[in-house]
Amino acid sequence: MVRGIGDKIDFKILLPLLILLLVSVLSIYSATKLPGQYSIFLKHVLWIISGIFIAVFFYFFPVQRLLSLSVLLYIISLAFLVIVIFIGKKVSGSASWIQIGKFQFQPSEFAKFTTILILAYFLSKRNVRADNPVTLIVAGILTFIPFFLTILQPDFGTAIVFGAIFLGIMFWAEVPVFWLLLLLAPVVLIIASFFSIKVFIAASILITILFLLMRKPFVLTFMIVAMNLMIGLTSEHIYHKVLKPHQQKRISTFLNPAKDPLGAGYNVIQSKIAIGSGGLIGKGFMKGTQTQLRFVPAQWTDFIFCVPAEEFGFVGSVTILLLYLILLWRVINLATLIKQRFASLVAIGIFSTWFFHIMVNIGMTLGLSPVIGIWLPFLSYGGSAMWVNMAMAGLLMNFYANRRELN
Amino acid sequence: MTETSRVKFLKILLSIIFLFFIVKLYELQLYRDVEYKRQAEINSIRTIQHDPIRGLIFDRNKKIVVDNVPSYTVTLTPYEFDMKNLDVLAKILKVDRQYILEKISSAPSPFSPVKIRRDAPVRAIAYIEEHRGELRGVDYLIEHKRNYRAPGLASHILGYVKEITSSQLNIYKGLYKPGDQIGQSGLEKSYEPIIKGEKGYRFIMVDALGRFVGKYNDGKNDIPPAEGSDLILTIDIELQAFIEELLRDRSGSVVVLDPRNGEILAMVSKPNYDLALLSGYTPGEVWSQLNSDPKKPLLNRAISGLYSPGSTFKMVLAITALETGSVDLNWKVYCPGYFVYGDKVFKCHTSQGHGWVNLTKAIEVSCNVYFYNLMLRVNFDDWSRYGGLLGFGKKTGVDLPEEIEGILPSTEYFNRVYGVNKWTKGYLISLAIGQGEISTTPLQMATYAMVLANSGKYHQPHLVKEIINKKTGKIEEVSYYTREIPVSQRTFDIIREAMYLVVNSPSGTGKGARVEGINVAGKTGTAQNPHGNDHAWFVGFAPYENPEIAFAIIVENAGFGGAVAAPIAKEIVKKYFELKNQRTEFKVAKW
């Protein structure tokens, strides 16, 4: 039987991936043009090249082996997370790096991958039933450990990603949506209560409607909604009455950086100026004044999106968005294509990770979401993230190549 | 939930988020891009203003009167500045903290430096250099300030340069920025657009911390500053200095001009002030002292001081009478020393009287009684008309900003002030001898002397002779108007002869102005002053035959014009010819 190369290689993943890597190389080259920063660019290229080897490794790695290694890998990653708390190297306030010689490694990135694996492994076990509350509790504990350890670093931004992974995988594993909603509702309401009374009311109405859609007994729905509103109102009360002004300010600038134009808000303002000034076709490669003059801090890591947006304009930034959309769309389809539960759940876990990162990172540069220091897949500078993402991409292509066997 | 509906949910969620992003990108990059592009430019491209060097000021003999010297201006970037250094800064700059705080609050943005102290002491600069680490945000730049070669000399003519005030900023919107220097008085003000030069701009790129990264567009857009044009004055600075010295600490004014062209050779106003006090930084107490001084040193008496002309105004009446044919030289009046009109007695200045006097004699001895009578014989409006023709009651148009016009009454004026038929001829009698409701400036009096010297030729008085355009390097002559006053030569001959007799006849009131070898003509005046002693006037010209200078002198509260002002005239005439001869000899010697 002769099948084309398209049968073994998923071009819908490979092509957007390669283009994104190219955009990344160009963007980081542009953002590190000043003397003394050339090494950043060189390192980035090295990460990508080594990342390709990792992707190839995972492309050929037997899925069954991976499944059986899940527990071990998970435990190793937790061990690293514990170690990093003690010997971690501090980078801008959080000790999230382990330094081995010249080599730096970020255990929380590795943990994202192993958390996906352990959740997929656990939920694909024959005797685990998705509609059993115990399943939710065990999965919750499995996620909470790396989440909690990451919080301790403290790296709140990365920690939330575990929550996104958890929700995505649970949703895909057919855990009743009602349960997920029960978990999510108070979080949403607490956050909404910090914004403004309008946002809080809107969120309350939305959540009430969602609970009504669950078609549970009216009394139960009423009690749940009441509970949630109480939690939201209490947190609002705590925020306004109990917290000291500087604590309030910390929360409010986290949620709305524009309020602090010289502090956290500065990044967002500069990022919006960089993006907005790009116009339709941009200022041209290496001609972005905001990029070239370092107006946007952390330009090559968290704010990398500004570089192509400034230098290639609306055309460039929408192209990048479309590449991500193709990639993410493909991962959803791939998850349905693969019938093996473990692989399918892993695919959705990867989808959740990427989707959350893209949503928050781009949203942050556009001033839509809070400033959380998390990378943009394949574009941001950073070795550990690049390797983990490449591993994930290799694994997805592995699933595609072996889709008929994974049944 | 089935698998299909879960896939649908994820895809819809994904689409909504991405659609949201694209809408936001549309807003930022296509809808509001102009606004962000402008912000990006402000962000990264800093404009550095370079103040031009103000033009120099020379006297008529090309002697430098005003030039520029470098001075330090301390700047402060509010964002970088640590307020706990405020006291230290106030101390080294010798200003109070409030002064600095006010300057800081005028900053357009916390990231752009504001000038907080001009003309900073050198010690302060040394301190700033040594303590760069602690005094973050504090820096200095080298600017120029006016330097006066002869401090205190000709201060009213030159005027001073100071930082623009907020009300001026409102007037000159766009032309000036806060912190710019602007001519505030005198020639510095009237020639501001010419003398100031044009600002230059450098465009540099800075990074987010404001550090210099490079020139914008390789400096192709930079605009170098253009030096201001130089002024060559009509003033003879040596004559000016001589007259200022002559008046010493008396209050008053002297204007000397060349009747052949209206060039002002000297314009003195006393008391004056030292311009150096107002160049650079002026402490508040110096300001308030100058402003509250009862002797008003800031007032340029030559053009803004109003005085009754006194007897010097008698020639206006004489001209009116002669020109309208009211009287001729045969018409005589007997002066018993007083004049009665209705129930009022008007005095002559000598109680024994002048006896029978005709017009020439009346001027020579300054007989009031003659002129009281004459005033009643001429038409009041004719008098006003001739007064106006001779330049009273209106600005001369001298190139200084502070000039005022004075008052020359007319029927219309009295009707306006007192109401129609509410005033009598009695009001006019004092006007005959230049008293009452009439006021003039010393400059108007000098141009009056010029017209008499020239037999009717009026030249616009002026202080700037030529302008040296620094851009083209060319000398531009400034043109001024000239007019002929419609008064017959015969009338002028009579008046001029009478004025000659004032100085040269044994009974003349202006004998004090007599100069050996040069015929001086003139007229004394004693202006009654309701606030104190009389002001002494003398107007005149020399040489009588072919006048080269015309002048007006007033000394406040000094008594009789003949006794006080005429001797000053004598000194001025002597000095003028002395200087003239020196210069001719010098020129001959050079040949």
Side-chain angles (χ1 to χ4, degrees):
Chain A
M1 196 159 54
V2 177
R3 286 202 174 96
I5 191 168
D7 185 58
K8 282 281 163 201
I9 290 175
D10 190 348
F11 286 105
K12 285 176 186 158
I13 287 177
L14 187 64
L15 282 180
L17 176 68
L18 289 177
I19 300 170
L20 285 169
L21 287 174
L22 180 71
V23 171
S24 177
V25 169
L26 292 176
S27 300
I28 287 172
Y29 182 72
S30 184
T32 58
K33 210 179 78 178
L34 282 189
Q37 292 181 334
Y38 190 61
S39 66
I40 294 173
F41 171 72
L42 274 187
K43 273 193 210 161
H44 186 64
V45 172
L46 276 175
W47 297 133
I48 290 176
I49 293 167
S50 51
I52 289 169
F53 283 103
I54 289 172
V56 171
F57 174 79
F58 276 93
Y59 179 73
F60 290 111
F61 198 84
V63 179
Q64 286 308 323
R65 267 313 277 289
L66 193 65
L67 189 143
S68 53
L69 278 171
S70 290
V71 179
L72 182 65
L73 286 172
Y74 177 70
I75 290 167
I76 293 172
S77 74
L78 291 187
F80 276 126
L81 280 177
V82 173
I83 292 168
V84 83
I85 293 166
F86 296 105
I87 62 154
K89 186 182 166 222
K90 280 215 178 239
V91 175
S92 59
S94 40
S96 39
W97 302 84
I98 289 177
Q99 180 125 17
I100 303 162
K102 276 202 135 185
F103 180 80
Q104 278 183 357
F105 160 74
Q106 205 172 357
S108 54
E109 297 303 339
F110 179 44
K112 283 175 195 167
F113 186 50
T114 60
T115 305
I116 293 170
L117 294 180
I118 194 75
L119 286 175
Y121 166 80
F122 170 66
L123 289 162
S124 59
K125 279 176 93 104
R126 238 168 248 289
N127 53 351
V128 171
R129 285 173 53 104
D131 55 358
N132 186 343
V134 179
T135 307
L136 192 68
I137 290 164
V138 174
I141 291 168
L142 288 175
T143 315
F144 184 76
I145 299 169
F147 170 84
F148 182 71
L149 291 173
T150 311
I151 288 271
L152 286 182
Q153 292 181 2
D155 186 352
F156 188 61
T158 305
I160 312 178
V161 182
F162 291 104
I165 291 169
F166 173 76
L167 275 180
I169 292 179
M170 289 298 121
F171 176 73
W172 198 247
E174 287 167 273
V175 168
V177 177
F178 177 66
W179 294 359
L180 297 179
L181 200 57
L182 275 181
L183 282 174
L184 203 56
V187 179
V188 170
L189 285 176
I190 288 169
I191 292 173
S193 72
F194 292 146
F195 274 95
S196 71
I197 193 75
K198 275 187 208 158
V199 175
F200 179 69
I201 292 170
S204 309
I205 292 170
L206 184 75
I207 281 175
T208 310
I209 292 170
L210 286 174
F211 275 115
L212 288 171
L213 285 176
M214 295 295 130
R215 291 184 198 157
K216 297 288 168 188
F218 179 73
V219 180
L220 183 64
T221 308
F222 178 79
M223 279 174 61
I224 292 166
V225 170
M227 277 276 273
N228 275 298
L229 290 182
M230 258 180 60
I231 294 168
L233 289 171
T234 313
S235 63
E236 206 217 331
H237 177 81
I238 291 170
Y239 175 72
H240 287 291
K241 298 281 157 63
V242 181
L243 290 186
K244 301 225 165 64
H246 71 272
Q247 291 166 322
Q248 286 180 9
K249 194 180 172 237
R250 205 175 298 160
I251 293 175
S252 70
T253 54
F254 174 71
L255 295 171
N256 186 7
K259 281 186 182 165
D260 181 20
L262 294 179
Y266 175 83
N267 304 15
V268 176
I269 290 166
Q270 293 302 336
S271 142
K272 280 167 86 174
I273 292 173
I275 295 170
S277 65
L280 177 66
I281 54 162
K283 298 174 186 170
F285 179 53
M286 313 250 292
K287 292 209 174 97
T289 52
Q290 304 304 290
T291 297
Q292 299 306 327
L293 303 170
R294 310 285 168 270
F295 275 92
V296 188
Q299 179 102 53
W300 46 87
T301 56
D302 300 345
F303 283 90
I304 190 70
F305 184 67
C306 299
V307 182
E310 187 189 12
E311 301 195 339
F312 303 109
F314 185 69
V315 173
S317 43
V318 170
T319 305
I320 292 168
L321 283 183
L322 290 178
L323 290 169
Y324 278 127
L325 190 63
I326 293 168
L327 189 66
L328 292 173
W329 203 269
R330 180 58 189 166
V331 182
I332 298 173
N333 286 337
L334 195 60
T336 55
L337 201 65
I338 306 153
K339 296 301 166 212
Q340 198 218 37
R341 196 167 160 83
F342 172 75
S344 181
L345 285 170
V346 168
I348 281 300
I350 293 170
F351 166 84
S352 308
T353 312
W354 287 350
F355 181 41
F356 185 79
H357 270 271
I358 293 164
M359 186 172 75
V360 174
N361 183 291
I362 295 183
M364 167 179 92
T365 59
L366 294 175
L368 293 170
S369 57
V371 178
I372 302 171
I374 59 174
W375 40 257
L376 188 57
F378 306 109
L379 250 61
S380 290
Y381 168 84
S384 312
M386 182 59 77
W387 280 7
V388 169
N389 284 324
M390 289 298 233
M392 289 174 172
L395 197 56
L396 287 173
M397 298 204 357
N398 178 349
F399 293 161
Y400 175 80
N402 300 302
R403 64 196 177 280
R404 271 177 290 272
E405 287 75 35
L406 292 170
N407 274 320
Chain B
M1 233 187 206
T2 62
E3 191 187 84
T4 338
S5 56
R6 274 183 282 135
V7 169
K8 242 185 219 159
F9 175 82
L10 287 181
K11 285 183 178 173
I12 289 168
L13 184 68
L14 191 61
S15 306
I16 289 171
I17 299 281
F18 274 70
L19 198 68
F20 213 57
F21 284 166
I22 290 173
V23 169
K24 187 70 187 177
L25 281 168
Y26 170 84
E27 191 216 325
L28 292 179
Q29 297 190 300
L30 300 183
Y31 186 67
R32 290 170 65 188
D33 60 323
V34 178
E35 179 190 326
Y36 283 111
K37 273 180 184 140
R38 212 197 61 233
Q39 283 197 38
E41 242 161 65
I42 298 167
N43 231 348
S44 58
I45 300 166
R46 284 272 162 89
T47 309
I48 297 182
Q49 183 180 312
H50 282 255
D51 290 345
I53 295 185
R54 269 181 107 78
L56 309 181
I57 301 179
F58 298 92
D59 91 331
R60 64 184 298 116
N61 299 308
K62 311 277 160 60
K63 272 195 184 158
I64 292 181
V65 182
V66 183
D67 59 2
N68 306 291
V69 287
S71 90
Y72 295 106
T73 297
V74 174
T75 63
L76 185 148
T77 309
Y79 177 67
E80 291 169 28
F81 184 66
D82 186 347
M83 278 297 170
K84 71 173 196 269
N85 289 323
L86 190 60
D87 286 320
V88 179
L89 196 61
K91 205 179 144 207
I92 61 163
L93 295 181
K94 297 196 168 75
V95 293
D96 45 78
R97 14 180 319 143
Q98 198 52 39
Y99 184 85
I100 299 177
L101 287 173
E102 274 164 30
K103 295 279 180 187
I104 294 175
S105 65
S106 75
S109 112
F111 302 99
S112 58
V114 269
K115 294 172 181 174
I116 53 162
R117 167 74 146 94
R118 274 179 197 283
D119 199 18
V122 180
R123 289 179 66 102
I125 302 303
Y127 187 90
I128 291 167
E129 272 296 341
E130 280 166 34
H131 299 78
R132 276 203 175 276
E134 297 128 73
L135 290 172
R136 267 186 7 106
V138 179
D139 208 343
Y140 61 89
L141 46 96
I142 295 171
E143 291 193 313
H144 288 90
K145 69 163 181 170
R146 281 309 215 188
N147 177 47
Y148 302 95
R149 290 297 176 95
L153 212 57
S155 42
H156 294 101
I157 302 173
L158 301 171
Y160 58 91
V161 179
K162 271 243 154 298
E163 203 164 289
I164 192 160
T165 64
S166 51
S167 55
Q168 284 171 328
L169 268 174
N170 281 331
I171 302 168
Y172 304 113
K173 253 184 208 125
L175 281 171
Y176 291 86
K177 285 199 189 121
D180 282 352
Q181 303 266 67
I182 186 170
Q184 299 281 15
S185 70
L187 292 172
E188 299 272 22
K189 183 175 180 182
S190 46
Y191 287 90
E192 169 72 15
I194 291 167
I195 204 171
K196 78 172 201 301
E198 277 151 40
K199 287 180 202 164
Y201 298 97
R202 267 190 325 129
F203 302 98
I204 59 159
M205 296 196 291
V206 292
D207 66 9
L209 296 173
R211 288 177 305 209
F212 175 80
V213 179
K215 286 180 187 170
Y216 172 69
N217 202 8
D218 282 328
K220 281 176 203 144
N221 298 58
D222 291 0
I223 305 162
E227 240 176 275
S229 296
D230 295 345
L231 302 182
I232 297 174
L233 304 187
T234 59
I235 295 290
D236 181 333
I237 200 70
E238 282 180 70
L239 185 66
Q240 174 87 18
F242 174 78
I243 299 171
E244 291 198 11
E245 180 58 33
L246 209 57
L247 287 181
R248 286 176 188 273
D249 40 10
R250 287 192 274 196
S251 293
S253 174
V254 173
V255 177
V256 182
L257 45 76
D258 186 335
R260 293 166 298 187
N261 49 26
E263 290 177 0
I264 297 172
L265 300 171
M267 181 189 266
V268 173
S269 174
K270 281 277 187 172
N272 58 356
Y273 58 98
D274 187 349
L275 279 172
L277 287 176
L278 302 183
S279 167
Y281 170 76
T282 309
E285 58 268 26
V286 173
W287 250 124
S288 53
Q289 207 184 334
L290 278 174
N291 271 309
S292 60
D293 190 331
K295 288 171 105 183
K296 296 188 177 151
L298 291 172
L299 178 76
N300 184 355
R301 288 168 162 75
I303 53 169
S304 324
L306 287 180
Y307 304 93
S308 296
S311 299
T312 57
F313 211 71
K314 285 173 179 162
M315 281 90 81
V316 176
L317 180 53
I319 289 169
T320 314
L322 290 169
E323 282 296 294
T324 55
S326 311
V327 295
D328 60 19
L329 289 180
N330 298 322
W331 188 73
K332 286 186 177 150
V333 163
Y334 184 79
C335 168
Y338 60 90
F339 175 74
V340 182
Y341 185 82
D343 55 356
K344 272 196 173 156
V345 178
F346 295 87
K347 281 185 191 162
C348 201
H349 58 84
T350 53
S351 52
Q352 66 269 39
H354 295 102
W356 286 100
V357 289
N358 74 348
L359 191 139
T360 312
K361 190 71 182 173
I363 291 175
E364 182 193 320
V365 298
S366 203
C367 175
N368 290 354
V369 174
Y370 178 90
F371 286 96
Y372 294 142
N373 282 288
L374 189 57
M375 192 68 190
L376 298 172
R377 284 182 77 98
V378 303
N379 179 303
F380 176 49
D381 284 320
D382 284 339
W383 175 87
S384 301
R385 188 161 56 85
Y386 279 100
L389 286 172
L390 290 160
F392 292 99
K394 60 185 174 220
K395 290 183 183 178
T396 63
V398 71
D399 40 357
L400 285 178
E402 299 95 353
E403 188 180 21
I404 54 178
E405 61 263 319
I407 300 166
L408 175 69
S410 60
T411 307
E412 191 242 337
Y413 173 84
F414 276 142
N415 284 342
R416 200 173 63 233
V417 175
Y418 297 104
V420 181
N421 297 326
K422 293 273 174 63
W423 53 281
T424 64
K425 275 208 158 185
Y427 281 59
L428 309 179
I429 290 170
S430 339
L431 291 176
I433 57 160
Q435 298 291 347
E437 236 157 303
I438 179 166
S439 62
T440 71
T441 64
L443 178 64
Q444 279 174 337
M445 294 299 267
T447 58
Y448 170 51
M450 164 173 71
V451 170
L452 298 174
N454 282 348
S455 300
K457 200 160 211 137
Y458 184 97
H459 299 284
Q460 181 185 6
H462 56 271
L463 288 159
V464 171
K465 204 170 142 151
E466 288 159 337
I467 292 167
I468 303 174
N469 187 324
K470 284 283 177 64
K471 252 192 266 174
T472 59
K474 281 195 185 122
I475 295 179
E476 295 162 0
E477 287 225 27
V478 192
S479 63
Y480 300 95
Y481 73 83
T482 293
R483 62 189 160 90
E484 201 70 50
I485 288 162
V487 169
S488 68
Q489 185 62 47
R490 207 188 97 79
T491 299
F492 277 122
D493 287 345
I494 293 166
I495 304 292
R496 293 179 82 246
E497 199 202 323
M499 287 173 76
Y500 173 77
L501 293 172
V502 167
V503 179
N504 296 292
S505 109
S507 52
T509 54
K511 288 195 294 287
R514 213 179 284 172
V515 176
E516 190 78 35
I518 296 154
N519 288 329
V520 179
K523 179 74 192 79
T524 55
T526 305
Q528 285 159 25
N529 170 18
H531 310 291
N533 291 333
D534 296 345
H535 301 322
W537 273 112
F538 191 81
V539 298
F541 52 87
Y544 171 65
E545 303 76 16
N546 199 6
E548 286 177 33
I549 55 167
F551 46 82
I553 296 151
I554 185 166
V555 186
E556 290 179 13
N557 315 117
F560 288 109
V564 182
I568 292 173
K570 173 188 168 177
E571 295 303 320
I572 291 170
V573 172
K574 267 170 68 184
K575 184 69 182 181
Y576 170 80
F577 286 101
E578 196 184 296
L579 286 170
K580 187 188 163 189
N581 292 335
Q582 261 178 27
R583 291 200 177 107
T584 346
E585 277 162 33
F586 178 66
K587 269 184 197 156
V588 172
K590 233 165 90 172
W591 271 99

